[in-house]
Amino acid sequence: MIVRARAPLRLGLAGGGTDLSPFCDLHGGCVLNATIDLYAYAHIIEKDDGLIRISAPDIGEDFSGEARDRLEPTGSLALHKAVYNRIVRDYGDGKPLAFHLITHCDAPPGSGLGSSSTLVVAILKAFVEWLRLPLGEYDVARLAYAIERRDLHFAGGKQDQYAATFGGFNFMEFYADERTIVNPLHVKNWILSEIESSLVLYFTGVSRISSAIIEEQTRNIEENDPSSMEAMKILKEDAIGMKEAVLKGDFGRFAHYIGNSWEAKKRTARGISTPRIERVFELAMSAGAKAGKVSGAGGGGFIMFVIDPARRSSVVQALQRADGEVKNCHFTKGGTEGWRLD
Protein backbone atom coordinates (compact mmCIF):
# COMPACT_ATOMS: atom_id res chain seq x y z
CA MET A 1 0.00 0.00 0.00
CA ILE A 2 1.13 3.54 -0.76
CA VAL A 3 -0.24 6.54 1.12
CA ARG A 4 0.29 10.13 0.02
CA ALA A 5 -0.42 13.43 1.73
CA ARG A 6 0.27 17.08 1.16
CA ALA A 7 -0.21 20.32 3.07
CA PRO A 8 -0.07 23.91 1.74
CA LEU A 9 2.45 26.54 2.78
CA ARG A 10 1.17 29.91 3.94
CA LEU A 11 1.69 33.64 3.63
CA GLY A 12 1.51 35.52 6.92
CA LEU A 13 -0.49 38.62 6.01
CA ALA A 14 -0.85 40.21 9.45
CA GLY A 15 -0.39 39.49 13.15
CA GLY A 16 2.56 37.11 12.87
CA GLY A 17 4.41 36.96 16.18
CA THR A 18 1.32 37.50 18.32
CA ASP A 19 0.82 33.73 18.26
CA LEU A 20 3.96 33.35 20.37
CA SER A 21 3.78 32.53 24.05
CA PRO A 22 3.74 34.32 26.39
CA PHE A 23 2.22 37.21 24.41
CA CYS A 24 -0.88 35.29 23.32
CA ASP A 25 -1.28 33.86 26.84
CA LEU A 26 -1.28 37.32 28.39
CA HIS A 27 -2.92 39.48 25.73
CA GLY A 28 -4.48 37.16 23.15
CA GLY A 29 -2.99 36.85 19.69
CA CYS A 30 -4.58 37.46 16.28
CA VAL A 31 -3.18 36.32 12.95
CA LEU A 32 -4.50 36.51 9.41
CA ASN A 33 -2.85 34.15 6.94
CA ALA A 34 -3.60 32.48 3.61
CA THR A 35 -2.35 29.26 2.10
CA ILE A 36 -0.75 29.17 -1.34
CA ASP A 37 -0.12 26.54 -4.00
CA LEU A 38 3.29 25.53 -2.68
CA TYR A 39 3.20 22.30 -0.70
CA ALA A 40 4.97 19.90 1.62
CA TYR A 41 4.51 16.26 0.60
CA ALA A 42 4.74 12.94 2.43
CA HIS A 43 4.58 9.45 0.94
CA ILE A 44 4.41 6.27 3.03
CA ILE A 45 5.12 2.89 1.45
CA GLU A 46 3.98 0.07 3.71
CA LYS A 47 6.65 -2.60 4.26
CA ASP A 48 6.80 -6.05 5.81
CA ASP A 49 10.58 -6.37 6.12
CA GLY A 50 10.83 -5.07 9.69
CA LEU A 51 12.73 -1.95 8.62
CA ILE A 52 12.16 1.79 8.74
CA ARG A 53 13.53 4.04 6.04
CA ILE A 54 13.10 7.82 5.94
CA SER A 55 14.17 9.79 2.87
CA ALA A 56 14.21 13.53 2.27
CA PRO A 57 15.89 13.87 -1.13
CA ASP A 58 15.32 17.62 -1.35
CA ILE A 59 17.70 18.14 1.59
CA GLY A 60 19.91 15.15 0.80
CA GLU A 61 19.05 13.14 3.92
CA ASP A 62 18.32 9.43 4.34
CA PHE A 63 17.88 7.17 7.36
CA SER A 64 17.32 3.43 7.65
CA GLY A 65 17.24 1.02 10.54
CA GLU A 66 15.36 -1.73 12.27
CA ALA A 67 11.75 -0.95 13.13
CA ARG A 68 11.48 -0.04 16.80
CA ASP A 69 9.08 1.81 19.04
CA ARG A 70 11.19 4.99 19.22
CA LEU A 71 13.70 6.74 17.02
CA GLU A 72 16.16 9.23 18.47
CA PRO A 73 14.83 12.57 17.11
CA THR A 74 18.14 14.14 16.12
CA GLY A 75 19.70 15.51 12.96
CA SER A 76 18.01 16.90 9.87
CA LEU A 77 15.27 14.25 10.06
CA ALA A 78 14.30 15.06 13.67
CA LEU A 79 10.82 16.19 12.63
CA HIS A 80 10.14 12.95 10.76
CA LYS A 81 11.33 10.81 13.68
CA ALA A 82 9.42 12.82 16.26
CA VAL A 83 6.17 12.37 14.32
CA TYR A 84 6.75 8.62 14.18
CA ASN A 85 7.44 8.49 17.92
CA ARG A 86 4.18 10.27 18.72
CA ILE A 87 2.14 8.06 16.40
CA VAL A 88 3.54 4.87 17.91
CA ARG A 89 3.23 6.11 21.48
CA ASP A 90 -0.23 7.67 21.30
CA TYR A 91 -1.98 5.63 18.62
CA GLY A 92 0.02 2.45 17.97
CA ASP A 93 0.08 0.77 21.41
CA GLY A 94 3.86 1.09 21.32
CA LYS A 95 4.19 -1.38 18.45
CA PRO A 96 6.86 -0.57 15.83
CA LEU A 97 5.82 0.06 12.24
CA ALA A 98 7.73 -0.90 9.09
CA PHE A 99 7.58 1.57 6.22
CA HIS A 100 9.46 3.86 3.86
CA LEU A 101 8.63 7.55 4.38
CA ILE A 102 9.61 9.97 1.62
CA THR A 103 9.13 13.73 1.96
CA HIS A 104 9.84 16.84 -0.06
CA CYS A 105 8.80 20.47 0.04
CA ASP A 106 8.30 23.17 -2.58
CA ALA A 107 10.16 25.68 -0.38
CA PRO A 108 13.35 25.21 1.64
CA PRO A 109 13.53 25.28 5.45
CA GLY A 110 13.83 28.86 6.67
CA SER A 111 11.72 30.22 3.82
CA GLY A 112 9.30 32.09 6.07
CA LEU A 113 6.34 30.18 4.61
CA GLY A 114 5.99 27.79 7.54
CA SER A 115 7.69 24.93 5.71
CA SER A 116 8.85 22.99 8.78
CA SER A 117 5.45 22.99 10.48
CA THR A 118 3.72 22.28 7.18
CA LEU A 119 5.97 19.27 6.67
CA VAL A 120 4.99 17.95 10.11
CA VAL A 121 1.31 18.32 9.19
CA ALA A 122 1.82 16.49 5.89
CA ILE A 123 3.65 13.60 7.61
CA LEU A 124 0.95 13.39 10.27
CA LYS A 125 -1.76 13.37 7.63
CA ALA A 126 -0.03 10.48 5.85
CA PHE A 127 0.00 8.45 9.08
CA VAL A 128 -3.62 9.41 9.79
CA GLU A 129 -4.63 8.13 6.36
CA TRP A 130 -2.50 4.98 6.57
CA LEU A 131 -3.65 3.96 10.06
CA ARG A 132 -7.16 5.41 9.68
CA LEU A 133 -6.81 7.47 12.84
CA PRO A 134 -9.89 9.42 14.03
CA LEU A 135 -8.22 12.84 14.07
CA GLY A 136 -9.97 16.00 12.89
CA GLU A 137 -8.43 19.29 11.80
CA TYR A 138 -7.95 20.75 15.27
CA ASP A 139 -6.52 17.42 16.47
CA VAL A 140 -3.91 17.30 13.70
CA ALA A 141 -2.89 20.94 14.20
CA ARG A 142 -2.62 20.57 18.00
CA LEU A 143 -0.60 17.38 17.64
CA ALA A 144 1.76 19.00 15.10
CA TYR A 145 2.27 21.90 17.50
CA ALA A 146 2.95 19.54 20.43
CA ILE A 147 5.55 17.60 18.43
CA GLU A 148 7.50 20.71 17.44
CA ARG A 149 7.21 22.79 20.56
CA ARG A 150 7.01 20.22 23.37
CA ASP A 151 8.69 17.07 22.08
CA LEU A 152 11.48 18.80 20.15
CA HIS A 153 11.49 22.15 21.99
CA PHE A 154 11.72 24.06 18.69
CA ALA A 155 10.99 27.77 19.14
CA GLY A 156 7.98 29.14 17.30
CA GLY A 157 4.35 30.14 17.34
CA LYS A 158 1.09 28.35 16.63
CA GLN A 159 -0.21 29.71 13.34
CA ASP A 160 1.69 27.50 10.88
CA GLN A 161 0.25 24.18 12.01
CA TYR A 162 -3.32 25.48 11.84
CA ALA A 163 -2.82 27.18 8.46
CA ALA A 164 -1.45 23.99 6.90
CA THR A 165 -4.24 21.88 8.36
CA PHE A 166 -7.24 24.11 7.61
CA GLY A 167 -6.08 25.89 4.44
CA GLY A 168 -7.58 29.00 2.85
CA PHE A 169 -7.85 32.51 4.30
CA ASN A 170 -8.14 32.26 8.08
CA PHE A 171 -8.36 34.72 10.93
CA MET A 172 -6.91 32.92 13.94
CA GLU A 173 -7.21 33.73 17.62
CA PHE A 174 -4.73 32.43 20.19
CA TYR A 175 -5.28 32.43 23.93
CA ALA A 176 -3.87 30.98 27.15
CA ASP A 177 -3.76 27.22 27.70
CA GLU A 178 -3.13 26.78 23.95
CA ARG A 179 -6.75 27.57 23.12
CA THR A 180 -7.02 28.37 19.43
CA ILE A 181 -9.99 29.43 17.31
CA VAL A 182 -9.75 29.29 13.51
CA ASN A 183 -12.23 31.54 11.71
CA PRO A 184 -12.33 30.73 7.96
CA LEU A 185 -12.92 33.87 5.90
CA HIS A 186 -15.33 33.58 2.98
CA VAL A 187 -13.59 35.99 0.63
CA LYS A 188 -15.30 36.82 -2.65
CA ASN A 189 -13.62 35.43 -5.74
CA TRP A 190 -13.00 38.85 -7.31
CA ILE A 191 -11.27 40.01 -4.14
CA LEU A 192 -9.05 36.91 -4.14
CA SER A 193 -8.18 37.55 -7.78
CA GLU A 194 -7.29 41.18 -7.08
CA ILE A 195 -5.10 40.28 -4.10
CA GLU A 196 -3.33 37.59 -6.16
CA SER A 197 -2.75 40.10 -8.94
CA SER A 198 -1.47 42.65 -6.42
CA LEU A 199 1.15 40.44 -4.77
CA VAL A 200 4.69 39.72 -5.91
CA LEU A 201 6.46 36.99 -3.98
CA TYR A 202 10.24 37.23 -3.93
CA PHE A 203 12.66 34.67 -2.48
CA THR A 204 15.79 36.33 -1.17
CA GLY A 205 17.82 33.17 -1.70
CA VAL A 206 18.70 33.25 1.99
CA SER A 207 17.21 30.58 4.23
CA ARG A 208 17.42 31.63 7.85
CA ILE A 209 17.06 29.85 11.17
CA SER A 210 14.16 31.61 12.87
CA SER A 211 14.87 30.35 16.40
CA ALA A 212 17.25 33.19 17.35
CA ILE A 213 14.73 35.86 16.32
CA ILE A 214 11.82 34.06 17.99
CA GLU A 215 13.80 33.54 21.20
CA GLU A 216 14.61 37.26 21.34
CA GLN A 217 10.96 38.17 20.71
CA THR A 218 9.93 35.81 23.50
CA ARG A 219 12.54 37.25 25.86
CA ASN A 220 11.40 40.81 25.10
CA ILE A 221 7.82 39.84 25.92
CA GLU A 222 8.84 38.12 29.16
CA GLU A 223 10.83 41.19 30.18
CA ASN A 224 7.97 43.49 29.11
CA ASP A 225 10.26 45.52 26.83
CA PRO A 226 8.21 48.67 26.06
CA SER A 227 9.16 49.02 22.39
CA SER A 228 8.67 45.35 21.61
CA MET A 229 5.37 45.13 23.49
CA GLU A 230 3.99 48.21 21.72
CA ALA A 231 5.01 46.72 18.37
CA MET A 232 3.31 43.40 19.18
CA LYS A 233 0.08 45.18 20.06
CA ILE A 234 0.24 47.05 16.75
CA LEU A 235 0.69 43.73 14.93
CA LYS A 236 -2.43 42.38 16.65
CA GLU A 237 -4.46 45.48 15.75
CA ASP A 238 -3.23 45.24 12.15
CA ALA A 239 -4.50 41.66 11.92
CA ILE A 240 -7.96 42.78 12.99
CA GLY A 241 -7.89 45.64 10.50
CA MET A 242 -6.56 43.40 7.74
CA LYS A 243 -9.48 41.00 8.21
CA GLU A 244 -11.94 43.82 7.50
CA ALA A 245 -9.89 45.09 4.55
CA VAL A 246 -9.82 41.63 2.95
CA LEU A 247 -13.51 40.94 3.43
CA LYS A 248 -14.51 44.36 2.07
CA GLY A 249 -11.97 44.46 -0.74
CA ASP A 250 -10.37 47.64 0.60
CA PHE A 251 -7.02 47.33 -1.18
CA GLY A 252 -5.69 50.67 0.00
CA ARG A 253 -6.05 49.53 3.60
CA PHE A 254 -4.63 46.11 2.64
CA ALA A 255 -1.41 47.77 1.45
CA HIS A 256 -1.38 50.03 4.52
CA TYR A 257 -1.49 47.11 6.94
CA ILE A 258 1.24 45.23 5.07
CA GLY A 259 3.58 48.22 5.34
CA ASN A 260 2.57 49.15 8.87
CA SER A 261 3.07 45.59 10.10
CA TRP A 262 6.53 45.44 8.55
CA GLU A 263 7.63 48.57 10.41
CA ALA A 264 6.19 47.21 13.67
CA LYS A 265 7.67 43.76 13.13
CA LYS A 266 11.19 45.17 12.84
CA ARG A 267 10.84 46.54 16.38
CA THR A 268 10.13 43.17 17.99
CA ALA A 269 13.68 41.79 17.66
CA ARG A 270 17.04 42.43 16.03
CA GLY A 271 17.94 40.77 12.74
CA ILE A 272 14.44 40.80 11.27
CA SER A 273 15.66 43.09 8.52
CA THR A 274 19.15 43.06 7.02
CA PRO A 275 21.04 45.33 4.62
CA ARG A 276 20.28 42.84 1.85
CA ILE A 277 16.54 42.90 2.63
CA GLU A 278 16.55 46.71 2.76
CA ARG A 279 18.23 46.78 -0.66
CA VAL A 280 15.53 44.54 -2.11
CA PHE A 281 12.88 46.84 -0.63
CA GLU A 282 14.56 49.86 -2.24
CA LEU A 283 14.50 48.17 -5.65
CA ALA A 284 10.85 47.18 -5.38
CA MET A 285 9.59 50.47 -3.98
CA SER A 286 11.48 52.53 -6.57
CA ALA A 287 9.80 50.45 -9.28
CA GLY A 288 6.33 51.19 -7.94
CA ALA A 289 5.60 48.70 -5.15
CA LYS A 290 3.21 50.11 -2.55
CA ALA A 291 4.35 48.13 0.48
CA GLY A 292 6.07 44.93 1.49
CA LYS A 293 6.89 42.68 4.39
CA VAL A 294 8.95 39.59 5.05
CA SER A 295 6.85 36.47 5.54
CA GLY A 296 7.71 34.59 8.71
CA ALA A 297 10.15 35.52 11.46
CA GLY A 298 12.43 37.59 9.22
CA GLY A 299 16.11 37.69 8.42
CA GLY A 300 15.62 36.14 4.99
CA GLY A 301 13.23 33.83 3.21
CA PHE A 302 10.33 35.23 1.18
CA ILE A 303 9.23 38.85 0.88
CA MET A 304 5.76 39.76 -0.35
CA PHE A 305 5.23 43.08 -2.10
CA VAL A 306 1.90 44.79 -2.74
CA ILE A 307 1.79 46.37 -6.20
CA ASP A 308 -0.51 47.95 -8.74
CA PRO A 309 -1.16 44.94 -11.03
CA ALA A 310 -0.54 47.13 -14.06
CA ARG A 311 3.02 47.74 -12.80
CA ARG A 312 3.88 44.09 -12.14
CA SER A 313 6.43 43.90 -14.96
CA SER A 314 8.31 46.93 -13.67
CA VAL A 315 8.54 45.55 -10.13
CA VAL A 316 9.53 42.07 -11.32
CA GLN A 317 12.24 43.48 -13.58
CA ALA A 318 13.62 45.55 -10.71
CA LEU A 319 13.71 42.55 -8.37
CA GLN A 320 15.47 40.45 -10.98
CA ARG A 321 18.45 42.76 -10.59
CA ALA A 322 18.94 41.35 -7.09
CA ASP A 323 20.25 37.87 -6.32
CA GLY A 324 16.95 36.14 -5.71
CA GLU A 325 13.93 34.71 -7.46
CA VAL A 326 10.43 35.98 -8.17
CA LYS A 327 7.89 33.21 -7.58
CA ASN A 328 4.35 32.91 -8.85
CA CYS A 329 1.75 31.72 -6.37
CA HIS A 330 -1.99 31.35 -6.11
CA PHE A 331 -4.21 31.00 -3.08
CA THR A 332 -5.64 27.64 -2.13
CA LYS A 333 -8.94 26.98 -0.43
CA GLY A 334 -8.16 23.53 0.93
CA GLY A 335 -5.84 22.41 3.70
CA THR A 336 -3.99 19.17 4.20
CA GLU A 337 -5.28 16.09 2.37
CA GLY A 338 -4.32 12.44 2.20
CA TRP A 339 -5.14 9.53 -0.08
CA ARG A 340 -4.16 5.89 -0.52
CA LEU A 341 -3.26 3.66 -3.42
CA ASP A 342 -4.11 0.05 -2.61
Side-chain angles (χ1 to χ4, degrees):
M1 176 185 294
I2 299 175
V3 175
R4 306 195 197 282
R6 70 176 187 176
L9 303 179
R10 61 98 184 103
L11 288 179
L13 297 176
T18 69
D19 57 323
L20 287 170
S21 295
F23 182 85
C24 63
D25 305 322
L26 298 171
H27 306 283
C30 294
V31 172
L32 194 151
N33 56 36
T35 51
I36 57 177
D37 59 349
L38 297 173
Y39 294 89
Y41 298 86
H43 316 267
I44 292 178
I45 303 171
E46 188 176 35
K47 297 288 188 178
D48 58 5
D49 56 5
L51 298 175
I52 291 175
R53 183 180 177 191
I54 303 173
S55 304
D58 55 338
I59 59 172
E61 294 290 338
D62 198 271
F63 164 87
S64 60
E66 183 179 347
R68 50 189 185 272
D69 60 357
R70 186 180 185 278
L71 303 175
E72 191 62 34
T74 58
S76 299
L77 297 176
L79 291 171
H80 304 64
K81 297 171 183 176
V83 172
Y84 170 76
N85 292 343
R86 268 285 183 149
I87 291 294
V88 171
R89 190 193 80 182
D90 295 353
Y91 303 99
D93 297 325
K95 297 177 181 178
L97 299 169
F99 59 91
H100 184 188
L101 169 64
I102 306 166
T103 66
H104 56 98
C105 188
D106 289 335
S111 64
L113 302 179
S115 55
S116 296
S117 299
T118 303
L119 180 61
V120 172
V121 169
I123 298 171
L124 272 175
K125 186 63 175 178
F127 276 108
V128 167
E129 188 70 22
W130 180 27
L131 304 176
R132 301 185 186 276
L133 302 179
L135 299 180
E137 292 166 326
Y138 277 100
D139 300 316
V140 170
R142 276 194 295 263
L143 183 55
Y145 176 82
I147 290 169
E148 285 191 88
R149 308 297 178 236
R150 292 202 213 108
D151 297 356
L152 294 174
H153 304 290
F154 288 178
K158 302 178 176 69
Q159 67 160 313
D160 296 347
Q161 298 86 356
Y162 287 88
T165 304
F166 282 82
F169 268 76
N170 290 294
F171 180 77
M172 302 179 182
E173 303 170 65
F174 303 96
Y175 301 102
D177 302 320
E178 297 181 10
R179 186 166 67 93
T180 301
I181 302 171
V182 178
N183 305 280
L185 301 186
H186 300 288
V187 185
K188 294 179 180 179
N189 286 335
W190 73 268
I191 296 176
L192 290 177
S193 297
E194 180 65 16
I195 295 175
E196 275 188 3
S197 301
S198 302
L199 286 179
V200 169
L201 194 59
Y202 174 81
F203 182 51
T204 62
V206 178
S207 296
R208 84 288 177 270
I209 298 175
S210 61
S211 57
I213 292 174
I214 292 171
E215 287 167 1
E216 183 177 347
Q217 289 174 323
T218 302
R219 186 168 58 253
N220 288 340
I221 296 167
E222 291 173 341
E223 296 175 356
N224 201 30
D225 177 77
S227 178
S228 182
M229 288 299 296
E230 181 187 5
M232 294 291 272
K233 291 176 181 178
I234 290 172
L235 290 172
K236 178 181 176 179
E237 292 168 1
D238 284 355
I240 297 170
M242 180 67 88
K243 176 180 71 170
E244 182 177 352
V246 166
L247 290 173
K248 290 182 176 180
D250 187 338
F251 304 108
R253 299 300 292 174
F254 180 91
H256 164 76
Y257 288 122
I258 291 288
N260 198 59
S261 292
W262 173 236
E263 293 304 318
K265 184 186 186 78
K266 289 188 287 186
R267 292 163 48 198
T268 63
R270 293 166 297 178
I272 288 176
S273 188
T274 66
R276 174 177 169 73
I277 289 174
E278 292 299 322
R279 172 59 179 158
V280 172
F281 267 80
E282 289 175 7
L283 288 170
M285 302 301 281
S286 64
K290 298 178 179 178
K293 69 183 290 287
V294 172
S295 183
F302 279 85
I303 305 173
M304 69 184 95
F305 290 103
V306 183
I307 62 163
D308 177 343
R311 302 198 64 175
R312 172 175 289 272
S313 294
S314 298
V315 175
V316 168
Q317 288 170 11
L319 289 172
Q320 287 173 340
R321 296 201 297 270
D323 294 329
E325 180 184 3
V326 177
K327 298 277 286 188
N328 292 320
C329 71
H330 304 279
F331 297 123
T332 69
K333 294 185 178 181
T336 188
E337 55 184 342
W339 62 97
R340 57 176 58 215
L341 303 173
D342 294 316

